[in-house]
């Protein structure tokens, strides 16, 4: 669970940083446009910079799902 929260926090940090830069920059952009640009740029950044974190989360999810399936198979049906 910690790695999922960490991944979410890092993605939120990237979004906040890009949005902050767009807000401070002397560009006359609408608020919604700044949000959309920040969202797109932070997605691209997270694809490259958070690859290891995403892979770790995916592995943990697969492990958890497999463990739950195994427990269901072993439990007696009532």
């Amino acid at each position: 669970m910690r790695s999922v929260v960490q991944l979410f926090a890092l993605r939120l940090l990237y979004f906040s940083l890009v949005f902050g830069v767009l807000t401070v920059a002397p560009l006359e952009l609408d608020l919604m446009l700044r949000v959309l640009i920040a969202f797109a740029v932070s997605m691209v950044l997270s694809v490259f910079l958070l690859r290891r974190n995403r892979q770790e989360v995916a592995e943990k999810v697969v492990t958890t799902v497999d463990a739950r399936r195994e427990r269901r198979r072993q439990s007696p049906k009532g």
Side-chain angles (χ1 to χ4, degrees), residues 55-72:
Q55 186 174 359
E56 181 182 321
V57 168
E59 288 172 0
K60 286 184 180 186
V61 167
V62 167
T63 303
T64 302
V65 168
D66 288 344
R68 286 183 182 176
R69 275 192 197 138
E70 189 62 33
R71 275 188 262 141
R72 284 185 182 168

Side-chain angles (χ1 to χ4, degrees), residues 6-75:
Q6 183 181 19
L7 181 62
F8 175 75
L10 287 171
R11 285 182 172 177
L12 186 61
L13 176 67
Y14 289 161
F15 173 80
S16 300
L17 288 174
V18 174
F19 183 75
V21 168
L22 290 173
T23 301
V24 173
L27 304 170
E28 294 188 21
L29 297 174
D30 185 42
L31 175 66
M32 185 57 92
L33 186 57
R34 282 185 292 203
V35 168
L36 290 174
I37 292 171
F39 181 72
V41 171
S42 66
M43 275 183 29
V44 171
L45 286 175
S46 69
V47 164
F48 294 109
L49 300 177
L50 298 177
R51 180 174 293 148
R52 184 178 299 149
N53 297 70
R54 273 194 336 274
Q55 186 174 359
E56 181 182 321
V57 168
E59 288 172 0
K60 286 184 180 186
V61 167
V62 167
T63 303
T64 302
V65 168
D66 288 344
R68 286 183 182 176
R69 275 192 197 138
E70 189 62 33
R71 275 188 262 141
R72 284 185 182 168
R73 278 190 213 138
Q74 291 178 357
S75 67

